[in-house]
Amino acid sequence: LQKSKLLTFVFHNLDLVILMVLILPRRGSNVSLVLDMSALGSVEPLSVAVVTPREAAAREYLLAAGRPLTRPQLRDIVVNTHKLHAEFAEIPMNFIDPKELDVPNHGTKNRYKTILPNPHSRVILKSKSCNDLLSSYINANYIRGYLGNEKAFIATQGPMVNTVNDFWQMAWQEEAPVIVMITKLKEKNEKCVLYWPEKRGIYGRVEVLVNSIRECEHYTARSLTLKCGNQTRVLQHYWYTSWPDHKTPDSTMPLLQLMEDVETDRRTAAAMGPVIVHCSAGIGRTGCFIATTIGCRQLQLEGVVDVLSITCRLRADRGGMIQTGEQYEFVHHALSLYEARLSAETGQ
């Protein structure tokens, strides 16, 4: 009876339904349309997946929003923090509903229950059993790079005790040349477990050996050798420890230096896979690092940068990337400093 009432409403108000679809809120709008069916009582959901007007508007925004900044405009915008925060507030988070993940018990492998990998771009671990969905699950997403090249990065959460083996399996499977860690192990609460060995460790099928350690002011670089079966591979691990808890750093210079070291390693590495980046949840500081890397490349090659578009693309791949307005502002400051250095080098 309930379904019959719903279908009768839809059929007799088809023009209204079509009109609602045609006048979906445009990008940047805070207006959303809601069809209130509460008068019909609770009805069972139809088997066909329904995209709500709000979801459709969010998708459109993430696909289309952008604001390219010339070098002078970038210099001006960093002092207009109100405008930056207002712009950031308009960007849809694009978090997913847990029901969208068809992996039983996936919650046991998530550090935060609300931070989940978006299904279309999530990393799937190769499993011996195609029926064991949980063994193929890791809270990680492929992230597109500059010009949208696929799988330039992997954004993931900080490993947990029960996901360390999964993490190293992913690093091996994806042929990652570099791992970037932007969190302390503990900041009030546990943010990440110590997932690498002092000298040698075995994690599932992957053996990890520490070749050398280089201490810098703001981060520690380790050269690692990974072994699996009769194959070996070298990987660089960067542990950035100067990011304060619940704040952004006072200076963007250390992050830019880290980015340049990582890019140098990526270009010279034998492994051609994505750079793995993680903090604790894998969205805030991780998003800042990836957005800054992409933005610097865009500035270098095009002379403009579109942080809004970059952020939207990151969130299309993994919900919540660049978590706060302060982080959005920090990315702009990092890019402004990079632009100033480019201008000094080129005399522009």
Side-chain angles (χ1 to χ4, degrees):
L1 183 59
Q2 303 281 10
K3 285 184 179 178
S4 175
K5 286 181 179 179
L6 174 60
L7 292 172
T8 300
F9 178 90
V10 171
F11 288 136
H12 286 284
N13 295 274
L14 195 56
D15 289 341
L16 172 62
V17 173
I18 293 172
L19 178 62
M20 289 176 66
V21 172
L22 290 175
I23 61 171
L24 287 174
R26 311 312 296 169
R27 86 172 179 235
S29 170
N30 286 320
V31 180
S32 63
L33 297 173
V34 179
L35 181 60
D36 186 4
M37 292 299 218
S38 58
L40 299 178
S42 60
V43 295
E44 294 176 22
L46 301 176
S47 58
V48 180
V50 177
V51 178
T52 66
R54 186 183 296 275
E55 290 170 338
R59 289 181 187 180
E60 180 191 2
Y61 190 99
L62 291 177
L63 285 171
R67 184 169 57 85
L69 298 170
T70 63
R71 289 180 170 188
Q73 287 172 332
L74 177 61
R75 293 171 206 149
D76 292 340
I77 197 69
V78 292
V79 296
N80 193 343
T81 56
H82 176 75
K83 186 173 183 179
L84 280 179
H85 283 253
E87 179 176 275
F88 175 81
E90 289 289 314
I91 308 172
M93 278 290 187
N94 199 34
F95 287 129
I96 71 152
D97 189 304
K99 294 192 288 289
E100 293 183 54
L101 273 179
D102 189 22
V103 180
N105 300 316
H106 64 78
T108 61
K109 290 190 173 185
N110 299 318
R111 181 168 287 280
Y112 304 100
K113 63 182 181 180
T114 57
I115 310 297
L116 303 172
N118 297 53
H120 75 280
S121 58
R122 74 182 180 93
V123 178
I124 297 176
L125 301 176
K126 293 173 184 174
S127 173
K128 292 178 181 177
S129 170
C130 58
N131 296 321
D132 186 6
L133 294 176
L134 189 59
S135 67
S136 68
Y137 175 81
I138 187 167
N139 192 319
N141 288 95
Y142 297 111
I143 306 294
R144 287 166 291 172
Y146 177 65
L147 296 180
N149 51 312
E150 298 292 329
K151 301 181 181 181
F153 302 92
I154 287 175
T156 186
Q157 67 180 17
M160 303 157 61
V161 170
N162 62 319
T163 66
V164 170
N165 289 3
D166 296 337
F167 182 88
W168 286 115
Q169 181 185 340
M170 176 175 71
W172 179 265
Q173 171 185 304
E174 299 299 323
E175 300 187 33
V178 184
I179 294 171
V180 181
M181 172 179 177
I182 315 179
T183 179
K184 297 182 181 73
L185 297 177
K186 188 172 183 179
E187 298 172 2
K188 294 184 181 177
N189 300 311
E190 181 190 280
K191 297 292 184 178
C192 182
V193 299
L194 183 66
Y195 59 86
W196 63 91
E198 187 176 346
K199 292 183 179 178
R200 174 182 177 270
I202 296 176
Y203 307 94
R205 296 186 302 111
V206 181
E207 181 180 358
V208 180
L209 300 140
V210 178
N211 304 320
S212 62
I213 302 174
R214 177 168 58 92
E215 297 282 356
C216 302
E217 185 180 356
H218 298 280
Y219 51 90
T220 302
R222 285 175 172 82
S223 171
L224 308 177
T225 294
L226 272 55
K227 294 184 178 181
C228 187
N230 58 1
Q231 292 181 288
T232 63
R233 202 177 293 148
V234 175
L235 178 148
Q236 305 302 319
H237 183 279
Y238 288 89
W239 185 10
Y240 183 94
T241 53
S242 287
W243 198 298
D245 193 16
H246 299 300
K247 292 193 299 182
T248 53
D250 293 330
S251 171
T252 60
M253 182 68 78
L255 191 75
L256 288 177
Q257 185 58 56
L258 173 66
M259 179 203 74
E260 289 175 353
D261 284 357
V262 168
E263 284 298 287
T264 297
D265 284 336
R266 183 187 61 78
R267 286 193 297 268
T268 57
M272 300 298 290
V275 171
I276 296 174
V277 187
H278 78 85
C279 43
S280 186
I283 59 174
R285 304 172 194 188
T286 295
C288 290
F289 179 85
I290 295 175
T292 300
T293 302
I294 294 171
C296 287
R297 188 73 175 149
Q298 188 177 26
L299 267 174
Q300 189 180 41
L301 296 180
E302 300 178 31
V304 299
V305 66
D306 192 339
V307 185
L308 174 58
S309 176
I310 291 169
T311 305
C312 287
R313 197 165 66 200
L314 295 188
R315 287 195 179 174
D317 292 338
R318 183 171 173 86
M321 294 283 275
I322 306 183
Q323 211 169 355
T324 66
E326 288 74 22
Q327 290 178 350
Y328 193 65
E329 184 183 338
F330 178 79
V331 170
H332 282 82
H333 277 285
L335 292 168
S336 179
L337 177 59
Y338 184 79
E339 184 279 325
R341 285 165 50 185
L342 278 179
S343 296
E345 290 170 5
T346 59
Q348 293 182 347

